[in-house]
Amino acid sequence: MTRLPDAIDDDLLEVSLACRPVFNRSQEVVALDLLMQGEQPSRGATLSDIEASSAVILGTYTQLFQDGRMQQVPSFLKVTDEVILAPELPDLPKDQYILEVPEGMLLTSERVEQLKLLAQRGYRLAMAGYDPDDVELDVLLELVHIVKVDTRQLDNATLDRAVRKLRANGVKILADKVDNREQFERCADLGFDYYQGNFLSAPAPIKGKKISGNKVLLLQLLSELHKSDASPLRLEEIALKDANLTYRILKLVNSAAMGLRREVRSLSHAIALLGLREIKRWANLFLVSDEHNKPEALTRSMLVRGRMCEVLAEIAGRDDIVNYFIVGLLSQLDALMDISMPELMEQVPLSAEIKSALLARGGSLGEILGEVERYEQGLFDELTLLEDTRYYEAAYRHAVNWAHQVQQAMSSAD
């Protein structure tokens, strides 16, 4: 397993960055919303923030693995007055950035004129916090390309009125803060173009549903792995009941995501080279794969969260860091399986410590999982684990790159 590089100290940003996916109706990721905190917390990116982070954004945060290949998608970037009023912008590729007007910005004639100039120069513009009853915002509808509508703040009648008014002005409409699938379907019926929020990670539990298929075999494997006297031969005996599963595990272990220098030809050989803890990691990875009725973005989120939990635990000097990976990875298993977390904990063989973290964010494992969840939401001021907050972005960026590698390896192992 690739550990966090020693060179990380030379690769720290002064800006905190996280990404939220933006989906179309097919729940494919069509853009990413950059959550950035630099010189002016919660107010948007300054010129120096952009200059410090643009190379990293374009090199990591605008890329994702989707539909069997790496893709680049544009990013929403909330900007400050300084950026809007600047006579020149840093070298920002117009096809990769969508500049978001700060919510509540005072719409002076100077600012409106500058936004018009940005649009004329080919920049795509977005605005958030739209209210169809606020006529002062109407001047922006002639300039912006995408409007974000906060679905938590507007009732059904106001949402419907907002969509009709925005459609008449020819702009694309993004439903923001969509918390569950019911809200997603309602917004889709209203005619929104794009969707953002926690609806993918919100489970829709089906009463009595059980983990099925070859995942039952994986549970047997995990059960054996959690025994203190786990035997490599017994593990291989279980895995060989499904030749395809064994093949896929070995192909993944041999992939670039592992970085091994010799070919692994059997599960017992893999255990000898990697140890039981690493085999436990990859068994958990297969537990969250192959849910073909779920968007790839959910699996990617689980991978990023699992690896970031592990990296933060490593930086903080915690023991048994693979358990932090498992907790992060499985923290959205309920959404992936559509089985409530309490029911899942009855089906999945995990330690009491891991179950406490997943059910109640308890203990050391739950503490770090909570930190990662806050980072993902852009709650950078609420992070308390690490004194040097620059390590959070480094850990997150590392986790994003690792998730890309694993998704590619898992895809090739199919």
Side-chain angles (χ1 to χ4, degrees):
M1 181 69 192
T2 302
R3 296 175 68 84
L4 194 65
D6 294 334
I8 191 173
D9 287 327
D10 299 323
D11 197 24
L12 298 177
L13 293 181
E14 299 298 330
V15 175
S16 295
L17 279 168
C19 297
R20 296 187 302 171
V22 175
F23 303 92
N24 60 15
R25 291 193 187 197
S26 301
Q27 297 182 40
E28 297 171 320
V29 178
V30 292
L32 294 167
D33 192 7
L34 290 172
L35 306 176
M36 178 184 290
Q37 180 169 300
E39 295 178 350
Q40 300 187 33
S42 304
R43 292 186 58 191
T46 65
L47 288 171
S48 60
D49 292 338
I50 294 171
E51 289 170 348
S53 60
S54 187
V56 168
I57 291 170
L58 297 175
T60 297
Y61 294 124
T62 61
Q63 301 181 51
L64 52 86
F65 186 80
Q66 187 169 246
D67 297 328
R69 62 186 177 87
M70 289 298 297
Q71 300 180 15
Q72 238 182 356
V73 295
S75 296
F76 286 83
L77 178 64
K78 185 186 294 183
V79 294
T80 58
D81 254 7
E82 178 195 17
V83 176
I84 292 171
L85 298 174
E88 284 188 27
L89 291 183
D91 185 19
L92 295 178
K94 297 180 178 65
D95 59 339
Q96 286 303 125
Y97 285 101
I98 301 167
L99 304 182
E100 184 177 323
V101 178
E103 190 173 343
M105 183 182 73
L106 183 63
L107 295 176
T108 64
S109 57
E110 181 185 12
R111 290 187 179 94
V112 171
E113 188 60 32
Q114 283 296 112
L115 290 171
K116 187 181 298 183
L117 288 174
L118 286 171
Q120 290 173 351
R121 287 162 57 190
Y123 287 101
R124 284 177 290 177
L125 304 177
M127 64 178 288
Y130 177 71
D131 181 347
D133 298 325
D134 187 347
V135 294
E136 290 187 7
L137 296 177
D138 289 352
V139 66
L140 292 182
L141 297 184
E142 300 176 4
L143 307 176
V144 300
H145 305 81
I146 301 172
V147 172
K148 293 184 177 182
V149 178
D150 189 335
T151 60
R152 291 181 191 164
Q153 297 296 321
L154 305 182
D155 58 32
N156 286 342
T158 310
L159 273 179
D160 182 63
R161 192 162 65 255
V163 170
R164 283 189 280 108
K165 186 172 180 179
L166 293 170
R167 279 267 174 260
N169 280 274
V171 298
K172 297 290 186 180
I173 319 170
L174 188 155
D176 196 12
K177 298 183 176 65
V178 181
D179 292 326
N180 54 55
R181 295 181 203 179
E182 183 181 0
Q183 289 181 5
F184 171 80
E185 290 168 3
R186 178 166 62 91
C187 290
D189 289 341
L190 285 173
F192 281 86
D193 300 288
Y194 308 121
Y195 310 84
Q196 188 173 25
N198 299 323
F199 64 96
L200 272 194
S201 57
I206 300 171
K207 192 172 182 179
K209 183 180 178 184
K210 303 292 183 184
I211 296 176
S212 59
N214 72 345
K215 296 192 188 302
V216 173
L217 195 63
L218 276 167
L219 291 178
Q220 294 177 22
L221 199 63
L222 284 168
S223 181
E224 188 69 25
L225 281 163
H226 279 273
K227 292 179 180 178
S228 59
D229 60 346
S231 159
L233 291 178
R234 172 61 182 150
L235 291 168
E236 193 159 53
E237 181 182 312
I238 294 171
L240 286 173
K241 291 179 182 178
D242 186 333
N244 184 57
L245 174 62
T246 303
Y247 167 78
R248 293 183 68 214
I249 290 175
L250 292 178
K251 190 168 182 181
L252 183 58
V253 168
N254 279 307
S255 72
M258 293 299 296
L260 298 176
R261 294 184 179 180
R262 67 178 82 174
E263 184 179 0
V264 177
R265 298 183 179 181
S266 68
L267 189 58
S268 57
H269 184 203
I271 293 169
L273 281 175
L274 303 172
L276 289 174
R277 288 182 180 179
E278 288 303 310
I279 296 302
K280 187 188 297 185
R281 178 197 313 278
W282 298 100
N284 277 281
L285 280 172
F286 275 101
L287 185 64
V288 306
S289 69
D290 293 336
E291 291 298 316
H292 296 299
N293 62 328
K294 295 291 183 176
E296 290 177 281
L298 179 57
T299 303
R300 179 167 50 256
S301 174
M302 296 170 79
L303 292 170
V304 170
R305 186 178 290 185
R307 184 59 178 143
M308 186 174 179
C309 282
E310 183 177 29
V311 170
L312 288 184
E314 183 181 340
I315 293 172
R318 302 291 171 88
D319 296 325
D320 297 323
I321 60 173
V322 71
N323 287 335
Y324 293 87
F325 169 80
I326 291 170
V327 162
L329 182 76
L330 300 187
S331 60
Q332 298 175 86
L333 189 62
D334 53 348
L336 190 75
M337 300 291 186
D338 284 328
I339 302 173
S340 72
M341 192 61 80
E343 285 188 66
L344 274 173
M345 292 303 96
E346 294 178 4
Q347 297 184 45
V348 181
L350 296 169
S351 69
E353 184 185 16
I354 290 177
K355 289 183 178 182
S356 172
L358 292 172
L359 290 169
R361 303 302 184 259
S364 174
L365 295 169
E367 176 195 14
I368 287 187
L369 174 58
E371 284 282 281
V372 171
E373 289 174 324
R374 286 186 284 277
Y375 190 90
E376 291 172 339
Q377 296 168 40
L379 303 175
F380 305 125
D381 291 332
E382 298 180 20
L383 303 172
T384 59
L385 179 71
L386 303 178
E387 185 174 343
D388 189 341
T389 57
R390 294 177 301 170
Y391 283 98
Y392 286 98
E393 190 280 328
Y396 182 72
R397 190 183 347 144
H398 173 91
V400 168
N401 282 322
W402 182 84
H404 292 163
Q405 293 177 19
V406 171
Q407 282 189 291
Q408 288 176 289
M410 293 177 81
S411 177
S412 68
D414 288 336

